[in-house]
Amino acid sequence: MYKKAQSNYLWFSKINAISYASLADAVLILYAIRIGADDFLVGLVISFLYLTMPFMLLGKQWIAEQGAAKTFFRSWVFRNISALFLFFVPIVQKHINPVSGLFLFVIASFGFFAFRSIGITAILPLIRDITSAENRGQFISKTWFQSMVFYLFAMVAIVALTSRYQTVTVFQAIVILGSLAGVVASLFMKKVPESDKPKLSAQRPLLESIRFISNNIAIKKLLTSWSLSTAALMLVTPFSMVALKNGFQISDHSALLFSIIQITGGILASYMNTLMLDRVGPRPMIIIYSFGILIIAILWMTAPANFFWPVFLLIFLLAGACNAGINTALSHYLLGSVPTDLTVGISMLMAIISGVVAGISGTILGGGLLRFLRAFDLLGLMVYRIYFAIIFIYLIIVIIMNSKLQPLSDRRVKDVLGIFFSPRDWRALFVLQKIYGTKTIGQDERIIDKLGQIGSDLSRETLSNYLDSPSFITRSRAIRALGRIEIEGETVQKLLNEIKEGEHTTAFWAAEVLGEQHIKSAIPVLRNALDSDDIPLKGKTMLALARLGDEPSYQKIIDIFTATENPRLIIHGAKAFVNMKQTKLLQLLIHKVTFTPLSAKIRDEVLYCMCEMCSAAHLFYRLYPDMRKNNSAVLWHLDEFIRHFKSRDESTYRNLVQIKDILLKSEKAAVLYQQLFELKDELEKRDCPRQIFHFIKTYPEAVFPVETRYAFLLIIISTHHRT
């Protein structure tokens, strides 16, 4: 049902965008100015968008009787019939009188917006009914995006018409086109299948919704924010067009070009919301868009006296972006905050109250303020500069109130602003956008790999969800990808559950990630995992606990390493010893590599850990491969390295030369001890050489292959070099 319902809804929104472009916003403003309406009358008509919101009470009744989709269809037909009367306004003005024509204009506009208010009562309940919580933000943003694209195409056509035919007749033709498009759009809405939830929600007494708002601090704050933000848009966006038209006396054609720019801003914001809203949450976006409105006011306050198009390009881009963005974010916040059975009542109350506030603001504070300012005989653009300076103070209040909205698992505003300037995060958003269409394990794995390569925190929740996959490969890839980003909260808990429930599958990957990211809360679960029969898990757990510095676990890790002959446990135990930073454990590593039969690769790993423990890893890593290929070349490098001590300390230089010669000539511990005894004082000055010497003394039966003796030598040289 979701797919068919969403498809019909999207087609409605696209075709309706053509209707709205033809009947409202800039076209309605320009039509009003063309037929002789003053600033106050323009402000009044624009305010009908909000002043008619109480008609949503009738919309609630219709939904309770026939459902949301049919209510939408029925009201939209009447909406477009009302709009047709706008066609007759110039005719009435010509054959009766101008005042009668303006009266008809006001009545037709009122009917248009009144039936629109009845219809939009069904929008949020219907969207909630045809979407899931996971894709709701994306669908709302997608609806805005696609409707804005069609709105743009419609406006381009309207601009072309008004530029060629600069008469009132062209506006009459546009009205007919808009009305017909609205009727066609309503037919798609009639086809949207829905459940009984919107109808049942509308049947709930309105008093329940009022009580819910009264008793819920978060919703009361949302109501305040919604009302103030809607009023802010009302006071800034349409009056920007009025200021542009009257402040610079530009043509209808030029004014509509800026309307297209405004639409472009809306498209950009809608597309951005499609990518971001479900990832960052609505609250930070509401705050950011509020600042965008403030910037518009600042730009008008400082606008140059002569027309300078880059300034006004930015103004109208921001106007479009803020209008689309803040409405989308507020709707998303509402749907994520209220119970399903109260959606109709609460969304209606939100719209009515915010609409009345915005309508009064537009009529009294907007149109009334401009009329008041004109009484001072202010010239040209100055009246609008002062207007926006006064509105600026109001916008500061809006930002403060929006900042008080309670978070809904949102990111911080500064983090969201960081996303805007992060190419890595944008790449992640584009990849995350593809998830909703994935159907196969191969597609999921490719997305996981891309998210892992990008390494953006935005993918944390999505990657966490993949831990519920039945596929070992999918889960393991998701865990490894999570290792490349910072994990927290629910993601940590999911990885802990993976350790508890994922033995012999992906638990060891989870242990590794928790250790690498130093998640202290994982220590109790990791301690239990030391007793697991899952060898990979036990090995990763040893290393993770050492990385976390869990000293109570150290003895158990030492016992496991000492007793085991399992190569994986030997490797991870050796790495754990390095992270414990206790050089006394060096003798255990020497013992393991000397008395336990190991393959060459495992032996090399333990030798590397010995050198790493004693800060000689860089020498071992550089010289050891060459030692196995060309012994004489490595000896030359060692001699050069030892020769550096000659100028610093002649005695140390001679001792290191002797130690080198002794270690490379004999493999038996007893012989080495006898020959190194004379250099005992030199060896016992430093901890790691002392540990080596004591091991040689303790195990005279030991035989050290050349690889081990090279490691001894590199450790001794490196510790001398550091001091």
Side-chain angles (χ1 to χ4, degrees):
M1 184 185 82
Y2 278 178
K3 188 174 182 180
K4 180 181 178 182
Q6 290 181 9
S7 176
N8 280 312
Y9 189 95
L10 286 171
W11 272 110
F12 160 79
S13 67
K14 287 183 281 193
I15 298 174
N16 184 66
I18 299 173
S19 172
Y20 196 75
S22 305
L23 300 173
D25 286 351
V27 171
L28 187 63
I29 293 171
L30 295 175
Y31 191 24
I33 294 172
R34 177 58 66 96
I35 61 175
D38 62 9
D39 286 343
F40 180 80
L41 191 59
V42 171
L44 174 64
V45 171
I46 295 170
S47 298
F48 285 159
L49 175 67
Y50 303 107
L51 290 174
T52 56
M53 289 297 183
F55 282 88
M56 295 181 75
L57 292 168
L58 182 58
K60 180 178 183 295
Q61 182 180 335
W62 286 12
I63 294 172
E65 295 171 356
Q66 54 195 1
K70 289 183 179 178
T71 294
F72 218 134
F73 164 73
R74 181 179 171 187
S75 62
W76 234 243
V77 171
F78 287 119
R79 162 193 181 269
N80 293 291
I81 291 173
S82 299
L84 274 174
F85 284 96
L86 293 171
F87 171 84
F88 298 101
V89 170
I91 298 173
V92 172
Q93 285 186 316
K94 181 178 180 180
H95 295 286
I96 302 178
N97 59 63
V99 174
S100 298
L102 289 174
F103 180 76
L104 177 60
F105 178 78
V106 171
I107 295 299
S109 299
F110 183 84
F112 172 83
F113 285 112
F115 284 111
R116 176 186 177 276
S117 294
I118 294 172
I120 64 172
T121 312
I123 287 182
L124 291 182
L126 191 59
I127 288 176
R128 184 165 200 163
D129 193 53
I130 65 176
T131 60
S132 63
E134 290 76 21
N135 68 0
R136 186 167 296 133
Q138 186 202 34
F139 180 75
I140 294 171
S141 302
K142 185 178 181 181
T143 301
W144 268 91
F145 174 72
Q146 292 192 4
S147 65
M148 292 301 287
V149 170
F150 273 69
Y151 192 100
L152 176 62
F153 290 150
M155 287 304 300
V156 169
I158 290 170
V159 168
L161 283 171
T162 56
S163 63
R164 184 166 183 179
Y165 307 103
Q166 299 181 12
T167 63
V168 73
T169 305
V170 73
F171 285 100
Q172 292 175 286
I174 292 170
V175 164
I176 293 175
L177 171 67
S179 301
L180 292 175
V183 172
V184 173
S186 65
L187 296 176
F188 282 97
M189 181 56 69
K190 189 178 182 181
K191 297 179 182 178
V192 174
E194 62 177 307
S195 69
D196 289 334
K197 290 180 181 178
K199 184 184 292 187
L200 294 173
S201 176
Q203 291 170 359
R204 298 289 292 270
L206 192 59
L207 190 59
E208 289 186 23
S209 298
I210 295 173
R211 285 200 197 102
F212 183 84
I213 294 174
S214 301
N215 297 327
N216 191 301
I217 295 175
I219 300 302
K220 282 195 285 189
K221 288 182 178 180
L222 175 61
L223 177 59
T224 302
S225 178
W226 201 315
S227 300
L228 294 177
S229 298
T230 306
L233 290 170
M234 177 66 205
L235 292 168
V236 172
T237 305
F239 285 100
S240 290
M241 180 60 72
V242 174
L244 183 71
K245 175 70 177 171
N246 293 339
F248 293 96
Q249 300 300 313
I250 64 173
S251 66
D252 292 345
H253 167 253
S254 298
L256 286 172
L257 284 175
F258 279 94
S259 181
I260 290 175
I261 292 169
Q262 181 175 321
I263 297 165
T264 304
I267 291 172
L268 292 174
S270 298
Y271 184 67
M272 182 174 65
N273 283 345
T274 302
L275 297 173
M276 294 182 66
L277 201 53
D278 286 322
R279 310 293 171 190
V280 304
R283 179 180 173 273
M285 300 302 289
I286 292 170
I287 296 170
I288 289 170
Y289 287 124
S290 301
F291 273 102
I293 303 172
L294 184 74
I295 292 171
I296 295 172
I298 294 172
L299 290 172
W300 275 115
M301 289 160 55
T302 58
N306 297 320
F307 187 80
F308 184 59
W309 69 266
V311 172
F312 302 104
L313 172 68
L314 181 57
I315 285 174
F316 283 90
L317 272 175
L318 281 173
C322 294
N323 184 54
I326 207 164
N327 278 297
T328 304
L330 286 167
S331 298
H332 192 288
Y333 190 104
L334 174 65
L335 292 177
S337 306
V338 301
T340 302
D341 56 346
L342 295 178
T343 303
V344 171
I346 293 176
S347 63
M348 182 189 69
L349 287 171
M350 288 282 178
I352 290 174
I353 296 171
S354 64
V356 170
V357 171
I360 293 173
S361 299
T363 305
I364 299 176
L365 186 55
L369 180 58
L370 284 174
R371 175 173 284 186
F372 173 75
L373 291 173
R374 289 192 184 282
F376 294 92
D377 295 326
L378 296 170
L379 299 176
L381 192 62
M382 183 55 67
V383 64
Y384 297 104
R385 284 196 183 124
I386 297 174
Y387 169 84
F388 282 104
I390 295 171
I391 299 301
F392 174 86
I393 299 170
Y394 169 76
L395 296 176
I396 295 292
I397 298 172
V398 174
I399 292 173
I400 293 172
M401 298 307 297
N402 285 346
S403 300
K404 293 182 178 180
L405 281 171
Q406 292 188 4
L408 299 177
S409 301
D410 301 305
R411 290 177 177 264
R412 294 176 300 179
V413 173
K414 68 175 185 178
D415 294 334
V416 178
L417 288 173
I419 293 170
F420 284 114
F421 302 100
S422 171
R424 180 186 64 179
D425 289 337
W426 280 109
R427 286 176 59 206
L429 288 170
F430 286 123
V431 174
L432 289 167
Q433 185 70 6
K434 300 176 182 177
I435 288 175
Y436 297 108
T438 58
K439 301 294 182 184
T440 68
I441 186 172
Q443 290 174 320
D444 280 347
E445 288 171 2
R446 284 191 291 274
I447 286 174
I448 291 170
D449 290 344
K450 286 181 181 178
L451 292 175
Q453 291 167 9
I454 294 169
S456 168
D457 290 347
L458 290 171
S459 56
R460 183 190 301 119
E461 182 180 352
T462 299
L463 290 171
S464 296
N465 291 336
Y466 279 117
L467 298 185
D468 298 325
S469 169
S471 166
F472 165 81
I473 295 176
T474 301
R475 293 199 311 278
S476 63
R477 290 190 179 194
I479 293 172
R480 282 178 286 172
L482 283 168
R484 300 187 182 100
I485 63 177
E486 184 179 350
I487 60 173
E488 59 184 28
E490 293 183 8
T491 304
V492 171
Q493 190 57 48
K494 280 200 168 187
L495 290 176
L496 291 174
N497 291 337
E498 197 70 22
I499 293 175
K500 296 175 185 176
E501 303 170 4
E503 279 190 322
H504 304 289
T505 58
T506 50
F508 71 100
W509 287 118
E512 179 177 63
V513 170
L514 291 167
E516 287 178 342
Q517 300 215 14
H518 302 282
I519 307 298
K520 293 285 187 180
S521 61
I523 288 176
V525 174
L526 290 169
R527 286 176 181 171
N528 293 333
L530 284 176
D531 297 320
S532 174
D533 294 330
D534 180 353
I535 297 300
L537 172 59
K538 181 179 286 191
K540 295 292 186 184
T541 299
M542 293 165 68
L543 179 54
L545 286 168
R547 282 175 168 157
L548 290 166
D550 183 40
E551 294 186 7
S553 300
Y554 284 2
Q555 188 56 53
K556 193 167 188 176
I557 294 170
I558 291 169
D559 293 342
I560 293 171
F561 177 82
T562 304
T564 190
E565 292 187 0
N566 183 281
R568 184 177 286 272
L569 294 181
I570 290 172
I571 290 173
H572 286 85
K575 293 298 259 182
F577 285 5
V578 173
N579 282 273
M580 290 179 192
K581 295 179 173 57
Q582 297 179 5
T583 52
K584 66 182 182 180
L585 299 175
L586 178 61
Q587 291 196 50
L588 292 179
L589 295 177
I590 299 172
H591 190 282
K592 185 65 68 176
V593 82
T594 302
F595 294 110
T596 303
L598 302 175
S599 67
K601 296 293 184 184
I602 305 300
R603 177 202 64 205
D604 291 350
E605 190 72 40
V606 177
L607 292 176
Y608 179 79
C609 289
M610 288 166 48
C611 292
E612 192 175 7
M613 182 181 288
C614 298
S615 301
H618 63 292
L619 275 178
F620 185 86
Y621 191 84
R622 192 180 81 185
L623 298 179
Y624 188 75
D626 290 337
M627 180 274 292
R628 304 182 69 180
K629 298 176 185 176
N630 189 341
N631 191 44
S632 60
V634 174
L635 288 175
W636 182 86
H637 283 297
L638 289 173
D639 289 338
E640 284 295 309
F641 202 78
I642 294 172
R643 195 171 290 116
H644 292 160
F645 292 94
K646 190 170 185 179
S647 59
R648 291 166 46 188
D649 187 338
E650 182 70 27
S651 175
T652 299
Y653 166 70
R654 287 196 303 270
N655 290 339
L656 288 176
V657 170
Q658 290 183 58
I659 291 170
K660 184 201 77 171
D661 292 340
I662 292 169
L663 285 174
L664 296 182
K665 283 180 181 177
S666 179
E667 63 181 11
K668 295 180 179 180
V671 175
L672 289 173
Y673 176 71
Q674 291 176 357
Q675 295 178 353
L676 291 172
F677 187 78
E678 296 180 1
L679 299 165
K680 175 183 176 183
D681 292 341
E682 183 68 45
L683 290 169
E684 292 196 338
K685 287 179 183 177
R686 298 161 184 85
D687 196 26
C688 283
R690 180 169 58 250
Q691 298 294 332
I692 293 171
F693 182 70
H694 285 185
F695 185 89
I696 293 172
K697 175 184 176 181
T698 305
Y699 297 97
E701 75 278 13
V703 176
F704 304 112
V706 65
E707 293 86 0
T708 303
R709 285 178 282 132
Y710 262 109
F712 289 167
L713 181 56
L714 293 176
I715 289 171
I716 293 168
I717 292 173
S718 181
T719 53
H720 277 74
H721 180 71
R722 285 187 290 114
T723 56

